Amino acid sequence: MTAITLEALEKRFGGTAGSALDGIDLEIADGEFVVLLGPSGCGKSTTLRLIAGLETPTGGTIRFGKSVVNGVEGRDRNIGMVFQNYALYPHMTVTDNLCFGLKSRGVEKGEILKRLDEILEMLSLGDLAKRRPRELSGGQRQRVALGRALIGRPSVFLMDEPLSNLDANLREQMRMEIAKLHRILRITTVYVTHDQVEALTLADRIVVMNEGKIQQVSSPRRLYDEPANIFVARFIGAPGMNVLRIEKDMLIDPDSPFYLDEQITQSIVESTGSAVRLGIRPEDLALHNGGFPLRIRCRVVLIEQLGTHLQVHLEVDSDKLSSNIIAKLDVNCGVAVGDVVTLGSPAHLIHRFDDETELHLGRLANKSERIVSLHSTSGDNSHGVRIGEQQ
Amino acid sequence: MSGAKLLSLNFRKVVRTLFVLVVAIGFSFPLYWVVVTAFNTKGGVYSIPPNFVPALHAGAFRYVLLHTHWLHYLLNTVFIAGVTVLLVLITSAMAGYALAELNLRGSGLFLLLTVGVMLLPTQALLIPQYALALHLHLLNGYAIQILPFAASTFGIFLFRQFFKSLPREYWEVASLEGVGHLRYILRVSLPLARPAVITVALLTFISSWNQFQWPLIMTQSHSVQPIEVALSHYTQTFEANWRKLTSAVIIALAPIVILFLILQRYIVAGVAGRDGGINL
Amino acid sequence: MTKQLDPALDHDDYRSNDKSDLVRRVGVRSSLFNVKNKLVGYGLLLPAAAVFILFFYLPALYLFYIAFYHWSILSPFQQFVGLKNFRTLLAQPLFWRSLENSLYYTIVMIPAITFLSLGIAMLLRDGLSARRGGVWRAAVFLPHVTPVVATSIIWVWIFNPHFGLANAVLSALHLPQLGWLESTTWALPAVMIDSLWHSLGLYVLIFLAGLSRVPREIIEVASLDGAKSPRIFRRIIWPLISPTTFFVIVLASVNTWQAFSQIYTMTGGAHGGAGGPAFSTTTDALLVFQTAFTYFHFSLAAAMSLVLFLIILALTVVQKWISDRIVFYR
Amino acid sequence: MLARNRFQQYLGGSRSPQSRYKSRLQSVRRVSVGFVGGSLILSACGSAAAAPTTTTSASNAPISFQLWESHNGGPVGDAVTALVNMFDSSHPNIHVSIVVTKASSKLPAAVAAGDPPVLAEISHYDGTLVKGLALNSWNQYMKNDPTFSQSNLYPSVWSNGLVGNQHYRLIASAKVSEVFYNESMFQAAGITTPPTTWAELASDAAKLKSSNVIPLGWKDSSAHILPAILSNGGSMLNGSNTVGTSVNFNNAATTATFQYFRNLYSAGDLVFDHGSTLRADLASGHMAMIDGTSAGEAKVLAAVGGKFKVGAFVEPAGSTGHAANLVQGLGFVLPKGHSAAEDNAAFTFVNWWYQPAQQVYWSEHTGFAPMTKAGAAAIPQSFLSSHPGLQQSIVAMSSQYSYPRPVSDSYAQVQAVLDSAFQQAVTGSQSISAALTQLQSQGNSYMSGASAL
């Protein structure tokens, strides 16, 4: 088993296109399941391919355990990799696909058969051994691809968006299988996806990336609760956090659509910078009932009926500023398109970000100072699960 | 749809089918006619109006079959065409693979070189090519009939395109598993490229079989000449004897026609896909 | 992967759903293990490149040498003669005659090939079941796979002035019989008929491939709009297949200008010496061949080849110029 | 390689490249350095032609050599094969093997490649080979062999291929022009004896003309117009007909001859065609007379198949009062680059070829005229009476007005232009004077060597 260390890892591509990497530092512990998460072109696949040895870094080092593997070919890194399209050879049977690599490496025949049985058993592929990929369902192919990556007994297991070709049901099922496999085998795993649900459910730690840089590395729970910056805040959650940029003078303007508790306003006005950025998750907004330290007056633009709740798109009611907000409201709240409503949120659910650096500065109040609780939160995982349901 | 309209539609369909029939018969008839002539009676060839039904007199055919070294010319042709096909497949697959899978500096130049060959007028190059063959002592051998055709623009393009259509991950998986390029080509790329292999093999075989001017110029002894050149010699030997001449024609035609009839589906598909592969 | 592995498949489409693909394509895999990769790569390109260079590009260069030198296979003395070969050439009536013949042949053949093959392709395109359609296609294409020498002999027999099928048909239709290959007027047209028979199948298939790429819906929409067949053809199909038409014209003009085997075999007569009667079928390609390989004037033939080369080049350039203006590429 | 051993007989074993040719070759090769690299690559590939070289035989060891020949099967090819077999069995020290190829057009390349045969039969005199100093003269071999006698050969045979005083090409198969006719048609038209003058031929043609019969079919090849021109007092070349350097066609004799044929053609009494078509026409009763050579007699008789009796007559007399003819055919040449022993053996074969027994066999089996008087005399009268064509060809061979074909460089091209001019003038697509003017100027440009197309 192997720990992986990336130090100042850099990858530049010729030409203008390509998601270059801009100094990645990351330590992945032995046996850890790490998910690289980010939008298309953020560099997550590039990072994975650098670890696999399919690309060569232009700077920095990659270590497996203690040894630097920069110059080591992929084939010598003892890696198993699963690709998005499975890359099963259509003209070979399941058995041949599984054994092709072992045969090429000159593994002894008896050993090959032993491992084959093991894998077929583990992934319940026994009945399919003689079939060709086109005779398999999507999930079965996925399992064969997993099997092929595992049969070489890799010390590092890499997966590049392995579930994105599956339909929703299968995806969920395979997610569980992958989680199970990892629980059993405890192979150091790096998993690339743009799907936060996969990331939140599978990962020990999530690495959020954007534009070739790591934005945040943390556990799923903390990613949601304490996004390191505006990008992460907006990226995590469905939909992401509303982040409003409010000029300081707007806070004291009585005609402003914003109302903020005076004490809080005071502390903000005293801080540096000309504006403040406040973030509120859509699920943390509610129709104003009088008790909220932050109120926003806005106009309803669109209402999406999602069954469990309404997803309401609003526009801040101001000439000076056009800002869109999404709120998740109760199905029975009775708003209609065109209504001007006032939304509010308790201070401990409001995040504050630096206007310049966009870094997270904390919340307007601690949890203990909570004034109103909107949702009953019982247990660490509740947010994740809830988000999952909302998908 | 009104009855009259339906009628006119059916009528048009009939007319169309008739046209198709006429075209198909027009194209096939000369080949039928050669059979009629070869198996005609001695005087029947010159009868006016002509006989349209074969008289099935095999005398002339038997004579031509037995009194000339057809087997020998056929073997020459098959040998030349066979080796050419083999070499074309090898060079095309190799180059196609390198162009599709490896990011080589200079592959653009290579492609230009490949397409350029097609644009060079074949007639204009005959003289320097002959001079080259003379200098290299290749005249009158099998090598000069094979080597210049051992690489094909069409083959390279088709293989390149085919290999490019294979997901890149196929190779990446293989490379992570420690599979080398050659093993990968043999075990994965080529087996998957079967349609390309068949198309290139068939078209190369046909064009090699039908070579005439090249061996006519480059060879002198019958021991290495293909059937087409031999046939052109026999037009002198058999002169006015149309039964013998057409018998000889049948012998030269039969193998390629039979091959075509068996594999026509692949050949037609291969040719039809050709302009998709190489657009000028 | 159930996706059909078809060479005609557009691989870009195939991969576009793979978001990291762009990364990989743009990626320049440099240094380290790529040195070995590169060696393997160039090794793979080498055989084909060697064939092309040795047997095509070197001779192409050598052609210039021969054309500007006095060069004979029997003489070790090679002397630079400048444009002498070209001056000799231009002073030869037969050279001009051969150009005339080639031009005549090409000018008749290109439109004939284009329109006939398009017509037959339209005929074979639909109205027939796919299965039977394959048989018709095969029938039309069969002549193209037959050896030219063999089938030209058939046509010599068909064009026999007294016992041939061609005149039998003419006389059945009460038309005057022709001398065909014995006649200075009809010899080249006779060769053209053979060539058309032999080559049309190829062009028909190319057109069929082009037509199969015209989306059915476009034609259906047009006919729903009430457009009549000829109108659909002129306004919709014709513009859509113009790249195919262009390809056919380029291919046909290069092929016809270089036609050799049919002419050599059909006009050779019993005693060889093709190009007759009275040079009426002596085309460029034939004259180059005779000058070099019958009369052994290699330098002159090389000069002629150069002229031929330039003509074909010019033809291609002109066609490209025209096509850039009228061909509609989707 | 496939079939290598099997075809060894075609390829022949012995090859003794002379240093002279090697050095020539090297100088050729040096010019294009680029090719040398390629040759290294290719030398590994090997070819059937690159048969292993064996050493030249010592004087008493058997000598074997190749004879390049262009008859591909048929009666002529069979006769050559049979004769060569006879020679081989009667000459234990010499073995001749036949290589059938288009010897005339392939020989120069073989010489240049340093790989020529010892003996070749080429169809016409090729100035290229002499210019390239590629041929040995036969003179010394004829002189050294006591069994060879010049006087035995017909004069037109002796002077065929003579340049200066050197014999570079000894004729191997002689043919002359003559006309075959359908005797039944002649009888039906009331013609008792074949025509002896061109004028008679024209009037007989007129008599033969009926609704379904074409009186006269003529080959579309110029060799068949030259006898008429010569009989009308014309010539081919200025100075000597064999080695002159300018053509002599634009004159009264040629004009008259062209006019004569043009009249026949426009009256519908004559058509042009290939020999094969003419024979079919004669056999099917479409035509009364066809032009040809005795070498075609067997084919004529085969085509007619006994349906009627075939007669033959030599080309008629013209304004000079006598008939004329042109002797042509393949000839033996001796490419340089072989040992004296091999060349001697080759001459042994040629001399043997000229002996009466071989001449009789040759003539009887092929219809070609015998080339020696002794040979002609040895053919039984009974055979001649059933083969009027052969009989007529002996008449022509014996005539003092039978001439050898010109040997000048570029004459082959002149002949092609003559073909064309004759066609154009006779069929009326060009006036006679225009055709002759063009023929003269183009012919001269070829002959002068200033242009060589």
Side-chain angles (χ1 to χ4, degrees):
Chain A
M1 299 292 150
T2 310
I4 303 169
T5 314
L6 310 180
E7 274 169 26
L9 192 62
E10 210 176 84
K11 176 71 182 174
R12 306 240 163 269
F13 293 101
T16 52
S19 41
L21 289 187
D22 203 5
I24 299 285
D25 290 292
L26 183 64
E27 281 187 36
I28 300 167
D30 182 13
E32 195 180 12
F33 196 122
V34 165
V35 173
L36 304 183
L37 178 67
S40 298
C42 69
K44 56 190 192 300
S45 276
T46 307
T47 310
L48 193 75
R49 296 171 60 79
L50 285 168
I51 296 172
L54 293 171
E55 309 273 356
T56 331
T58 45
T61 50
I62 305 171
R63 266 183 245 274
F64 278 25
K66 287 204 165 60
S67 46
V68 175
V69 295
N70 284 36
V72 179
E73 282 195 36
R75 64 178 61 180
D76 300 324
R77 294 187 190 186
N78 196 16
I79 278 169
M81 187 157 173
V82 176
F83 292 90
Q84 179 182 357
N85 60 9
Y86 321 135
L88 297 178
Y89 301 132
H91 61 300
M92 294 186 190
T93 61
V94 168
T95 304
D96 290 340
N97 264 295
L98 290 172
C99 301
F100 184 53
L102 293 183
K103 281 183 188 160
S104 304
R105 285 190 195 273
V107 176
E108 187 204 329
K109 200 160 184 190
E111 172 70 14
I112 293 181
L113 288 176
K114 203 187 103 204
R115 292 206 208 170
L116 177 66
D117 284 346
E118 238 173 63
I119 290 287
L120 290 175
E121 165 77 29
M122 183 162 69
L123 295 166
S124 20
L125 287 167
D127 303 341
L128 310 173
K130 293 275 167 276
R131 296 217 190 152
R132 286 172 210 281
R134 83 171 68 85
E135 299 158 336
L136 302 177
S137 71
Q140 289 166 336
R141 281 180 218 165
Q142 178 64 66
R143 287 214 294 277
V144 177
L146 285 171
R148 182 176 54 183
L150 292 172
I151 200 167
R153 305 216 165 132
S155 51
V156 172
F157 194 23
L158 306 176
M159 286 186 264
D160 191 356
E161 311 216 13
L163 302 183
S164 52
N165 278 6
L166 299 176
D167 64 42
N169 283 338
L170 263 177
R171 203 180 300 173
E172 198 168 324
Q173 194 187 324
M174 286 310 297
R175 218 162 60 206
M176 276 149 62
E177 283 205 38
I178 289 172
K180 200 175 87 189
L181 269 179
H182 185 250
R183 263 205 313 280
I184 298 166
L185 300 170
R186 300 242 53 108
I187 302 175
T188 313
T189 303
V190 185
Y191 185 110
V192 162
T193 183
H194 61 269
D195 180 346
Q196 48 177 307
V197 182
E198 279 172 28
L200 295 170
T201 50
L202 284 170
D204 293 330
R205 278 193 303 155
I206 294 174
V207 179
V208 181
M209 297 184 65
N210 189 36
E211 292 178 345
K213 288 192 184 98
I214 291 181
Q215 303 295 320
Q216 185 169 8
V217 184
S218 65
S219 68
R221 172 78 228 187
R222 266 192 66 186
L223 210 57
Y224 182 83
D225 285 347
E226 283 175 49
N229 55 33
I230 294 180
F231 172 79
V232 177
R234 281 185 170 149
F235 188 71
I236 299 294
M241 192 183 277
N242 298 299
V243 179
L244 301 165
R245 185 173 186 276
I246 308 169
E247 302 280 339
K248 277 179 180 169
D249 47 356
M250 249 186 153
L251 286 175
I252 40 182
D253 180 358
D255 294 334
S256 151
F258 298 103
Y259 167 81
L260 195 55
D261 179 82
E262 266 170 45
Q263 195 188 335
I264 300 169
T265 306
Q266 195 56 41
S267 72
I268 289 172
V269 171
E270 279 167 11
S271 68
T272 54
S274 60
V276 65
R277 300 239 211 169
L278 297 179
I280 312 138
R281 295 206 173 270
E283 51 271 34
D284 295 340
L285 282 166
L287 286 175
H288 178 54
N289 61 6
F292 292 134
L294 170 69
R295 290 167 229 157
I296 310 163
R297 196 171 69 242
C298 29
R299 184 187 309 280
V300 178
V301 180
L302 175 73
I303 299 173
E304 292 173 272
Q305 174 61 258
L306 293 184
T308 54
H309 62 270
L310 298 180
Q311 188 155 301
V312 183
H313 296 250
L314 308 106
E315 229 169 43
V316 174
D317 187 25
S318 162
D319 307 333
K320 294 181 183 167
L321 164 127
S322 97
S323 193
N324 298 318
I325 293 175
I326 298 176
K328 292 183 178 174
L329 301 178
D330 191 89
V331 273
N332 299 319
C333 67
V335 296
V337 173
D339 289 356
V340 174
V341 297
T342 304
L343 294 174
S345 184
H348 76 276
L349 293 178
I350 301 171
H351 303 256
R352 190 170 158 207
F353 298 94
D354 188 277
D355 186 38
E356 299 271 308
T357 62
E358 302 196 348
L359 290 177
H360 194 247
L361 296 177
R363 305 193 179 202
L364 292 186
N366 293 329
K367 238 179 187 176
S368 55
E369 299 170 47
R370 81 169 57 166
I371 301 167
V372 178
S373 174
L374 289 174
H375 302 279
S376 65
T377 53
S378 56
D380 258 353
N381 240 359
S382 62
H383 273 305
V385 170
R386 194 179 71 214
I387 292 164
E389 286 163 359
Q390 283 159 359
Q391 270 247 316
Chain B
M1 203 179 287
S2 76
K5 218 169 174 186
L6 198 71
L7 199 72
S8 85
L9 204 77
N10 270 338
F11 177 71
R12 274 173 59 183
K13 208 170 165 183
V14 167
V15 168
R16 195 186 189 107
T17 310
L18 267 175
F19 260 116
V20 171
L21 257 168
V22 167
V23 166
I25 290 174
F27 275 92
S28 318
F29 196 79
L31 296 176
Y32 172 72
W33 191 234
V34 76
V35 177
V36 171
T37 309
F39 293 101
N40 213 327
T41 55
K42 198 171 178 199
V45 175
Y46 294 111
S47 73
I48 294 171
N51 304 327
F52 284 98
V53 184
L56 296 178
H57 271 247
F61 186 80
R62 202 176 305 124
Y63 176 86
V64 171
L65 191 64
L66 299 178
H67 283 73
T68 40
H69 307 288
W70 292 115
L71 189 64
H72 154 153
Y73 299 122
L74 272 177
L75 280 180
N76 275 346
T77 310
V78 168
F79 175 70
I80 293 165
V83 177
T84 307
V85 166
L86 202 69
L87 291 178
V88 162
L89 286 178
I90 292 171
T91 58
S92 304
M94 282 167 71
Y97 180 82
L99 293 171
E101 297 284 342
L102 308 172
N103 231 323
L104 290 174
R105 186 192 289 268
S107 40
L109 182 73
F110 180 86
L111 280 178
L112 202 69
L113 203 73
T114 307
V115 177
V117 165
M118 237 179 42
L119 299 177
L120 291 174
T122 49
Q123 291 287 347
L125 290 185
L126 281 175
I127 288 144
Q129 281 167 333
Y130 178 76
L132 173 74
L134 180 75
H135 293 326
L136 297 182
H137 280 242
L138 287 177
L139 284 180
N140 196 32
Y142 289 114
I144 192 63
Q145 298 181 73
I146 293 170
L147 291 180
F149 308 102
S152 132
T153 304
F154 168 64
I156 290 171
F157 268 75
L158 195 73
F159 272 105
R160 168 176 168 266
Q161 198 191 5
F162 200 92
F163 289 148
K164 273 182 113 167
S165 76
L166 297 181
R168 185 97 183 229
E169 286 83 356
Y170 282 2
W171 161 247
E172 290 179 344
V173 162
S175 83
L176 289 179
E177 290 181 340
V179 181
H181 279 294
L182 290 180
R183 186 175 158 83
Y184 176 72
I185 292 176
L186 287 176
R187 295 296 312 279
V188 180
S189 293
L190 275 182
L192 286 176
R194 221 180 58 175
V197 169
I198 291 174
T199 304
V200 171
L202 285 176
L203 295 185
T204 308
F205 189 84
I206 290 171
S207 75
S208 184
W209 187 279
N210 294 348
Q211 283 276 1
F212 171 62
Q213 195 180 11
W214 186 267
L216 178 72
I217 291 170
M218 300 295 175
T219 66
Q220 68 217 18
S221 52
H222 287 192
S223 58
V224 297
Q225 275 173 341
I227 197 160
E228 277 269 275
V229 176
L231 192 63
S232 104
H233 284 289
Y234 282 119
T235 57
Q236 289 159 51
T237 308
F238 297 137
E239 268 200 339
N241 195 326
W242 284 104
R243 294 193 308 152
K244 286 183 183 165
L245 256 183
T246 45
S247 298
V249 167
I250 288 178
I251 292 164
L253 277 181
I256 201 82
V257 168
I258 290 168
L259 186 79
F260 175 79
L261 292 180
I262 295 172
L263 298 171
Q264 54 100 354
R265 206 159 53 85
Y266 298 98
I267 297 171
V268 167
V271 173
R274 210 170 72 149
D275 74 320
I278 310 157
N279 253 316
L280 278 179
Chain C
M1 291 287 90
T2 47
K3 199 124 196 179
Q4 186 69 41
L5 292 167
D6 178 347
L9 197 85
D10 187 345
H11 63 272
D12 287 327
D13 280 354
Y14 177 74
R15 296 178 141 205
S16 59
N17 61 348
D18 180 358
K19 297 194 180 76
S20 51
D21 187 58
L22 181 68
V23 182
R24 267 164 274 166
R25 283 261 200 111
V26 173
V28 180
R29 316 236 230 121
S30 59
S31 74
L32 291 167
F33 67 95
N34 293 328
V35 173
K36 203 174 115 200
N37 247 3
K38 267 183 188 154
L39 281 179
V40 171
Y42 290 123
L44 291 173
L45 292 181
L46 187 69
V51 168
F52 290 148
I53 290 174
L54 182 63
F55 289 107
F56 293 89
Y57 288 100
L58 272 181
L61 290 179
Y62 201 29
L63 177 63
F64 284 85
Y65 177 87
I66 298 175
F68 290 97
Y69 273 71
H70 175 77
W71 192 97
S72 156
I73 57 168
L74 283 175
S75 159
F77 307 110
Q78 280 139 20
Q79 190 191 357
F80 181 74
V81 294
L83 293 172
K84 174 172 173 281
N85 292 320
F86 293 90
R87 278 198 298 271
T88 307
L89 194 65
L90 299 181
Q92 278 305 324
L94 195 51
F95 170 69
W96 295 106
R97 180 74 204 272
S98 76
L99 277 186
E100 210 178 286
N101 286 338
S102 292
L103 199 67
Y104 173 42
Y105 187 75
T106 311
I107 280 181
V108 175
M109 285 294 279
I110 291 177
I113 284 172
T114 311
F115 290 112
L116 284 176
S117 55
L118 180 56
I120 295 172
M122 289 298 292
L123 210 58
L124 295 182
R125 182 170 148 266
D126 48 25
L128 294 160
S129 70
R131 195 182 187 83
R132 295 236 314 280
V135 174
W136 303 127
R137 265 168 221 210
V140 172
F141 187 65
L142 177 58
H144 188 68
V145 303
T146 60
V148 172
V149 173
T151 43
S152 291
I153 292 171
I154 305 174
W155 283 96
V156 171
W157 170 226
I158 289 174
F159 286 127
N160 184 297
H162 306 294
F163 310 103
L165 202 56
N167 273 347
V169 170
L170 288 181
S171 94
L173 298 172
H174 299 286
L175 291 170
Q177 305 197 3
L178 302 171
W180 294 115
L181 295 166
E182 310 295 339
S183 142
T184 48
T185 318
W186 291 102
L188 208 50
V191 175
M192 288 174 190
I193 291 172
D194 175 14
S195 294
L196 280 175
W197 174 79
H198 192 266
S199 65
L200 270 184
L202 171 68
Y203 302 109
V204 168
L205 282 193
I206 294 174
F207 267 123
L208 280 172
L211 286 171
S212 72
R213 286 194 284 270
V214 174
R216 255 211 128 66
E217 304 81 56
I218 293 187
I219 299 164
E220 275 164 9
V221 166
S223 42
L224 286 180
D225 290 348
K228 289 259 188 304
S229 304
R231 203 176 141 79
I232 294 177
F233 180 80
R234 209 179 59 244
R235 302 298 295 274
I236 297 162
I237 299 180
W238 179 248
L240 282 177
I241 59 161
S242 58
T244 310
T245 313
F246 174 63
F247 178 72
V248 164
I249 291 175
V250 170
L251 199 65
S253 52
V254 171
N255 284 348
T256 50
W257 197 277
Q258 300 191 52
F260 174 81
S261 302
Q262 296 98 321
I263 305 177
Y264 180 85
T265 314
M266 290 186 76
T267 64
H271 42 71
F279 302 121
S280 61
T281 56
T282 302
T283 57
D284 244 4
L286 211 69
L287 191 62
V288 168
F289 173 85
Q290 288 178 330
T291 309
F293 302 105
T294 307
Y295 302 130
F296 299 105
H297 300 304
F298 282 96
S299 290
L300 205 58
M304 229 184 269
S305 298
L306 259 186
V307 174
L308 182 67
F309 183 96
L310 292 177
I311 288 172
I312 290 172
L313 200 69
L315 265 177
T316 316
V317 169
V318 166
Q319 280 164 342
K320 180 85 188 126
W321 186 85
I322 294 171
S323 85
D324 286 347
R325 271 144 197 85
I326 62 166
V327 174
F328 167 75
Y329 287 99
R330 260 173 292 168
Chain D
M1 286 252 166
L2 181 86
R4 182 120 165 216
N5 296 327
R6 238 193 103 186
F7 304 143
Q8 201 69 39
Q9 45 169 332
Y10 288 89
L11 307 171
S14 75
R15 213 163 60 113
S16 55
Q18 295 288 85
S19 58
R20 198 184 118 78
Y21 283 93
K22 274 205 162 152
S23 71
R24 170 183 292 180
L25 207 82
Q26 274 154 9
S27 71
V28 167
R29 216 185 275 179
R30 224 173 285 131
V31 175
S32 46
V33 181
F35 292 137
V36 177
S39 77
L40 289 175
I41 299 169
L42 284 166
S43 58
C45 302
S47 73
T53 310
T54 56
T55 49
T56 331
S57 47
S59 55
N60 53 354
I63 293 173
S64 63
F65 65 83
Q66 289 184 351
L67 163 63
W68 280 17
E69 207 266 337
S70 37
H71 291 111
N72 192 345
V76 184
D78 293 347
V80 174
T81 310
L83 281 168
V84 165
N85 288 341
M86 282 181 221
F87 177 82
D88 282 351
S89 55
S90 60
H91 294 73
N93 286 330
I94 304 176
H95 180 83
V96 182
S97 54
I98 300 174
V99 172
V100 179
T101 183
K102 293 197 166 179
S104 314
S105 55
K106 297 298 182 183
L107 190 58
V111 169
D115 192 23
V118 170
L119 188 62
E121 271 184 44
I122 64 175
S123 73
H124 53 82
Y125 190 78
D126 200 320
T128 314
L129 287 164
V130 162
K131 257 196 195 161
L133 305 174
L135 298 181
N136 279 325
S137 160
W138 288 107
N139 285 29
Q140 55 166 321
Y141 301 100
M142 294 192 290
K143 208 172 74 190
N144 293 343
D145 191 333
T147 64
F148 180 79
S149 155
Q150 173 200 337
S151 61
N152 192 26
L153 298 179
Y154 288 117
S156 55
V157 170
W158 172 247
S159 47
N160 231 303
L162 186 66
V163 179
N165 265 330
Q166 302 297 316
H167 284 85
Y168 286 106
R169 178 173 169 274
L170 289 178
I171 201 157
S173 56
K175 56 182 182 181
V176 288
S177 300
E178 58 194 36
V179 180
F180 295 101
Y181 64 95
N182 181 332
E183 286 199 2
S184 318
M185 281 189 190
F186 269 43
Q187 275 169 13
I191 306 166
T192 49
T193 52
T196 55
T197 65
W198 291 106
E200 262 179 60
L201 177 63
S203 66
D204 285 351
K207 284 183 210 159
L208 284 162
K209 199 169 177 183
S210 70
S211 58
N212 272 330
V213 174
I214 302 163
L216 184 57
W218 211 258
K219 276 198 184 180
D220 53 357
S221 144
S222 66
H224 297 262
I225 182 65
L226 286 169
I229 294 176
L230 294 170
S231 73
N232 283 330
S235 62
M236 295 168 279
L237 307 182
N238 283 315
S240 153
N241 257 343
T242 51
V243 293
T245 52
S246 61
V247 300
N248 181 20
F249 286 119
N250 199 0
N251 53 35
T254 314
T255 308
T257 311
F258 275 32
Q259 188 63 56
Y260 172 82
F261 282 97
R262 185 174 182 146
N263 292 343
L264 283 178
Y265 183 90
S266 57
D269 290 352
L270 174 143
V271 296
F272 281 116
D273 229 319
H274 295 319
S276 54
T277 319
L278 293 180
R279 284 193 289 278
D281 284 337
L282 180 77
S284 62
H286 274 85
M287 237 172 234
M289 295 180 272
I290 63 166
D291 133 271
T293 72
S294 62
E297 183 172 47
K299 293 175 190 165
V300 172
L301 294 176
V304 171
K307 276 179 281 181
F308 52 84
K309 199 158 183 281
V310 177
F313 58 91
V314 286
E315 311 244 335
S319 59
T320 54
H322 58 75
N325 222 313
L326 199 69
V327 177
Q328 36 186 348
L330 300 178
F332 292 117
V333 293
L334 201 55
K336 284 187 179 176
H338 298 282
S339 69
E342 285 171 317
D343 288 353
N344 259 320
F347 184 73
T348 306
F349 176 78
V350 172
N351 192 27
W352 177 84
W353 185 268
Y354 282 140
Q355 299 312 307
Q358 283 68 257
Q359 287 298 300
V360 170
Y361 184 93
W362 175 247
S363 295
E364 286 189 0
H365 286 83
T366 65
F368 276 97
M371 287 162 285
T372 64
K373 293 162 197 163
I379 299 175
Q381 202 54 46
S382 57
F383 188 88
L384 289 179
S385 58
S386 63
H387 292 79
L390 186 59
Q391 190 178 32
Q392 291 298 311
S393 72
I394 294 173
V395 171
M397 291 299 287
S398 330
S399 156
Q400 59 170 311
Y401 301 110
S402 284
Y403 303 97
R405 181 160 154 170
V407 297
S408 294
D409 189 14
S410 300
Y411 184 74
Q413 286 138 285
V414 172
Q415 196 179 311
V417 196
L418 177 59
D419 270 350
S420 168
F422 185 54
Q423 250 268 0
Q424 308 259 36
V426 172
T427 58
S429 48
Q430 221 176 358
S431 76
I432 293 173
S433 66
L436 287 181
T437 311
Q438 202 184 322
L439 166 60
Q440 185 77 15
S441 82
Q442 216 170 333
N444 277 338
S445 88
Y446 291 150
M447 296 293 284
S448 70
S451 90
L453 192 68

